[in-house]
Amino acid sequence: MTDSHSTSPSLENLLHETRAFPPSPEFAAQANAQPSMYDEAAADRVEFWARQARELVSWKTPFTQTLDWSGAPVAKWFADGTLNAAYNAVDRHVEAGLGDRVAIHFEGEPGDTRTVTYADLQREVSRAANALATLGVESGDRVVIYLPMLVESVVAMLACARLGAAHSVVFGGFSADALRSRIADAGAKLVITADGGYRRGAPSALKPAVDAALAAKEGEPATTVEHVLVVRRTEQDVEWTQGRDVWWHEAVEAADTFHEPAWVDAEHPLFILYTSGTTGKPKGILHTTGGYLTQTAFTHKNVFDLQAESDVYWCTADIGWVTGHSYIVYGPLLNGATQVIYEGTPDTPHRGRWWEIVQKYGVSIFYTAPTAIRACMKWGEEIPAEFDLSSLRVLGSVGEPINPEAWMWYRRVIGSDRTPIVDTWWQTETGAIMISPLPGVTATKPGSAQVPLPGIAATVVDDEANPVPDGGGGYLVLSEPWPSMLRGIWGDLQRFKDTYWSRFPGIYFAGDGAKKDEDGDIWLLGRVDDVMNVSGHRLSTTEIESALVSNELVAEAAVVGAADDVSGQAVVAFVILRGEHADEAGTDEGSARIEKTLRDHVAQEIGPIAKPKRILVVAELPKTRSGKIMRRLLRDVAENREVGDATTLADSSVMNLIQAGLAKPAED
Ligand code: WTA
């Protein structure tokens, strides 16, 4: 296998010191998850999921067929059942007498708060659905949501689902250009946004990016968007396009609080979520309704051991990512959870903000990314020590491999050496957690995501698709369909087949390297393709390279993800400047200016998250004889390692040149 990234735990070094933490007998006795689930699922995987679908999801018309795999690789689950996702997330809890239960404790970054019960949510979602319908949204339409972390963000998603319209949430950190291409690809009718949100102590703007994304552009077809619905959050002045723009509060407050949900087929599209792939163009990952709801509800209940009457759950993700979809919106709400939603950053106004929130709401289940844990480690354990974290009883990790040191710190400092940690492996494409320990059942192991969930067929294979023995390494694959699997790439069936189903025919290729230890537990080792993982966010090397070469300064660019202590990987770009600019890079001032220009350019083309941490101006790039850039060698340079085997280079002196040229560290 190639290119597993180097922040991954060095298995050989760690295994001998690895200890497992068995569940406490008290925890095991009360846990939702039971060891028998593995046996039940092994006995009949499909029937296991049918049972979960009946127990955890409410159907308008019960399904009689469970899995139809005849159209592989496009699965159908529960296809003849009908249901509504918003009804499942909200109304049925109210009907069950739980209307007064808090669904959301909202905490704004400036400290404003809002408590939303399930009954409140039912009214809000119904009103919003009516407002959207008035603006022309119908079942089968697409709606782009570009919002900060607000109650309205959840309401907007559920309002779409209530109407049978697919939402496509675009992370608020993406630029106007990135937003524009997603709106166009999805063919959205409506965009829901806000004037802005609070971030790092100040209001930041969002609406201007929508205005720019919708502006007419020569040579491009007119936008499909008819209206822009604008949530007022920060009182910033906004430009207004009469006839197109509508205030959320005016439209929603005027709308009726009753709305009959659209009962849709289980395979009706629920959402499209764009994610980075190995080519420049983001992929619109399509998820449908019945299977997705079944698996998000099942995993949320069992992986986090949710006890809905007593737990307070908090997932720190943004709804712009799949974690926010599955483990802020659908999973928790389907299970009737009480959760915290926080608008801002962990260090505003101080570095204890998260722990202050845990203490304030008595958070008992906490789900975050390794990059955040590593940042907290850096800030020092005296910060969390100032707060009462004794309410915590389950901690989760997602988005990237968690190094055992961070895992141990998380358990000891945040979890009082007591809480189980669930390291959950999954992807935008898988829709829900696939590999994870089950708290109360699995003895947890620092650094390993461990075992496929009941009903999930995940394994590690070699180049020829043979499962590797314990102790071996290779590629992570999924060999059987699962309920929340993606149903395709929006508008591009061929790309769906090529990307996931052609590396090993008939088997889903996840794009991750993995190993199995001597106990058969799975360790994720990072991507094996040209996708980087920066702070748990997926970024495509090719997409950033395209952004760089679209700047007039740049002739050629190569981007790699280099190991980084906090963010897991950091974006490092190697650029060859166009002839007339090459001299500018010779002076400190010139190279600083070039770096800034190119960073800003990437932020404008994609978004600030994609900005290279370092930009290195070089005269040549290492290429094979067939012209392929050898990123492995560039990664060696970026990580200050001795450069590996360069014998396949067309010109083997290139690496010497690059290293000589970079003798002066180009840190920012
Ligand atoms: C990585 C996020 C190791 C992996 C839910 C995957 C992980 C990609 C883990 C998907 C984990 C996610 N351990 N690596 N627990 N969870 N990944 O689509 O490389 O944003 O392929 O979904 O993140 O990222 P995505």
Side-chain angles (χ1 to χ4, degrees):
M1 67 178 253
T2 54
D3 282 8
S4 65
H5 81 70
S6 55
T7 50
S8 315
S10 157
L11 200 63
E12 285 69 29
N13 291 344
L14 287 166
L15 274 184
H16 70 272
E17 53 189 59
T18 303
R19 21 188 301 228
F21 295 91
S24 73
E26 305 80 61
F27 196 110
Q30 318 234 347
N32 290 335
Q34 295 301 320
S36 58
M37 286 176 170
Y38 292 104
D39 306 327
E40 286 167 33
D44 189 341
R45 200 176 52 82
V46 171
E47 183 48 35
F48 173 81
W49 285 119
R51 210 157 43 242
Q52 305 310 326
R54 285 187 206 107
E55 270 171 30
L56 299 171
V57 176
S58 167
W59 298 84
K60 182 74 171 175
T61 322
F63 59 90
T64 62
Q65 306 154 9
T66 302
L67 169 65
D68 176 359
W69 192 226
S70 60
V74 182
K76 288 186 180 162
W77 283 87
F78 319 120
D80 62 346
T82 66
L83 75 173
N84 181 278
Y87 173 84
N88 267 278
V90 182
D91 303 58
R92 68 168 162 148
H93 303 310
V94 179
E95 289 171 13
L98 302 173
D100 291 340
R101 180 181 289 173
V102 174
I104 299 170
H105 291 293
F106 173 77
E107 171 97 5
E109 198 188 74
D112 57 317
T113 60
R114 188 175 161 194
T115 307
V116 182
T117 64
Y118 275 92
D120 296 333
L121 205 52
Q122 185 184 34
R123 276 188 295 273
E124 286 259 331
V125 172
S126 300
R127 274 188 171 147
N130 281 321
L132 263 56
T134 306
L135 294 174
V137 177
E138 293 171 3
S139 182
D141 285 343
R142 274 84 54 209
V143 173
V144 162
I145 297 177
Y146 186 65
L147 282 171
M149 287 300 292
L150 301 172
V151 171
E152 286 82 355
S153 315
V154 177
V155 171
M157 289 165 74
L158 293 174
C160 291
R162 201 173 181 94
L163 291 164
H167 51 72
S168 185
V169 183
V170 177
F171 175 58
F174 278 119
S175 69
D177 285 352
L179 177 62
R180 181 187 187 90
S181 64
R182 286 158 175 78
I183 290 171
D185 191 79
K189 204 181 222 180
L190 176 76
V191 176
I192 307 179
T193 189
D195 51 356
Y198 290 97
R199 215 159 168 79
R200 301 197 189 285
S204 67
L206 268 185
K207 171 90 170 25
V210 177
D211 293 332
L214 297 181
K217 220 177 189 179
E218 220 183 285
E220 285 189 24
T223 176
T224 47
V225 171
E226 294 167 8
H227 290 287
V228 177
L229 196 52
V230 188
V231 175
R232 188 150 67 192
R233 167 70 182 142
T234 61
E235 309 289 332
Q236 294 173 96
D237 286 338
V238 290
E239 299 273 323
W240 206 252
T241 303
Q242 286 303 335
R244 185 195 72 182
D245 297 350
V246 180
W247 283 112
W248 168 280
H249 58 271
E250 288 176 2
V252 172
E253 273 159 30
D256 199 287
T257 56
F258 175 81
H259 179 270
E260 174 71 14
W263 304 106
V264 300
D265 293 345
E267 285 300 337
H268 188 81
L270 179 61
F271 67 87
I272 301 166
L273 184 57
Y274 287 86
T275 186
S276 294
T278 52
T279 69
K281 190 172 179 281
K283 303 176 285 200
I285 303 298
L286 172 66
H287 282 286
T288 58
T289 309
Y292 174 81
L293 294 182
T294 299
Q295 198 175 328
T296 51
F298 171 79
T299 49
H300 183 260
K301 179 174 173 190
N302 292 291
V303 173
F304 299 109
D305 190 47
L306 179 82
Q307 311 291 337
E309 319 70 49
S310 51
D311 275 319
V312 178
Y313 167 85
W314 182 21
C315 166
T316 66
D318 189 283
I319 52 144
W321 310 112
V322 75
T323 306
H325 284 58
S326 303
Y327 299 107
I328 294 176
V329 180
Y330 292 106
L333 295 178
L334 251 85
N335 291 329
T338 295
Q339 69 176 318
V340 171
I341 290 184
Y342 171 55
E343 179 185 29
T345 49
D347 53 353
T348 306
H350 58 80
R351 288 177 167 179
R353 184 71 189 270
W354 274 9
W355 317 122
E356 189 177 63
I357 292 173
V358 168
Q359 171 180 288
K360 176 174 175 185
Y361 295 101
V363 171
S364 53
I365 305 172
F366 181 71
Y367 191 30
T368 196
T371 194
I373 299 163
R374 289 191 294 262
C376 292
M377 282 172 81
K378 237 182 177 171
W379 296 342
E381 59 187 83
E382 46 306 341
I383 295 176
E386 285 170 36
F387 301 91
D388 177 5
L389 305 182
S390 60
S391 53
L392 290 169
R393 60 178 206 91
V394 178
L395 300 177
S397 172
V398 62
E400 43 176 331
I402 178 164
N403 47 312
E405 298 75 16
W407 195 105
M408 290 298 294
W409 188 92
Y410 196 23
R411 179 180 157 101
R412 180 175 60 79
V413 177
I414 307 303
S416 312
D417 234 339
R418 172 177 53 78
T419 55
I421 294 188
V422 288
D423 175 9
T424 61
W425 179 89
W426 58 295
Q427 308 178 298
T428 305
E429 292 86 342
T430 69
I433 299 171
M434 302 293 280
I435 304 176
S436 167
L438 285 177
V441 176
T442 319
T444 56
K445 202 185 260 186
S448 170
Q450 299 191 286
V451 274
L453 290 181
I456 297 301
T459 180
V460 182
V461 299
D462 65 16
D463 274 310
E464 271 76 52
N466 304 307
V468 302
D470 290 350
Y475 307 98
L476 185 73
V477 297
L478 303 166
S479 54
E480 299 285 352
W482 62 101
S484 63
M485 69 194 295
L486 75 166
R487 301 302 199 263
I489 293 176
W490 184 252
D492 201 342
L493 184 63
Q494 195 54 45
R495 190 174 177 197
F496 170 58
K497 291 180 176 166
D498 293 346
T499 308
Y500 306 105
W501 305 95
S502 67
R503 178 69 180 77
F504 303 111
I507 296 178
Y508 176 89
F509 173 62
D512 279 6
K515 286 200 176 197
K516 274 185 154 185
D517 68 17
E518 296 300 338
D519 301 326
D521 281 328
I522 297 175
W523 294 66
L524 278 311
L525 301 175
R527 303 287 307 188
V528 294
D529 53 13
D530 292 334
V531 173
M532 294 171 290
N533 192 324
V534 178
S535 302
H537 300 152
R538 265 164 80 166
L539 295 171
S540 151
T541 52
T542 335
E543 198 180 351
I544 301 177
E545 286 164 3
S546 315
L548 286 166
V549 294
S550 74
N551 187 282
E552 47 148 24
L553 295 174
V554 178
E556 233 184 304
V559 165
V560 297
D564 186 278
D565 283 350
V566 174
S567 60
Q569 286 187 302
V571 180
V572 176
F574 294 79
V575 296
I576 302 178
L577 297 180
R578 284 180 193 271
E580 64 272 29
H581 300 288
D583 291 345
E584 281 178 52
T587 65
D588 284 352
E589 210 178 286
S591 70
R593 194 175 55 240
I594 287 168
E595 270 199 45
K596 179 168 185 331
T597 308
L598 294 183
R599 276 216 193 96
D600 292 348
H601 181 73
V602 172
Q604 196 198 329
E605 291 277 312
I606 304 173
I609 47 166
K611 270 191 198 179
K613 186 168 183 195
R614 290 169 74 189
I615 295 182
L616 309 175
V617 176
V618 293
E620 298 272 3
L621 288 170
K623 288 189 186 153
T624 60
R625 282 174 200 92
S626 61
K628 196 172 178 312
I629 294 172
M630 291 190 70
R631 291 206 179 80
R632 174 172 59 82
L633 300 179
L634 292 175
R635 197 171 307 133
D636 288 341
V637 174
E639 292 174 355
N640 303 317
R641 254 199 318 273
E642 197 175 320
V643 172
D645 182 8
T647 47
T648 52
L649 282 181
D651 173 1
S652 58
S653 64
V654 166
M655 289 315 294
N656 299 337
L657 267 175
I658 290 182
Q659 283 181 305
L662 299 176
K664 175 173 67 77
E667 241 339 315
D668 54 344

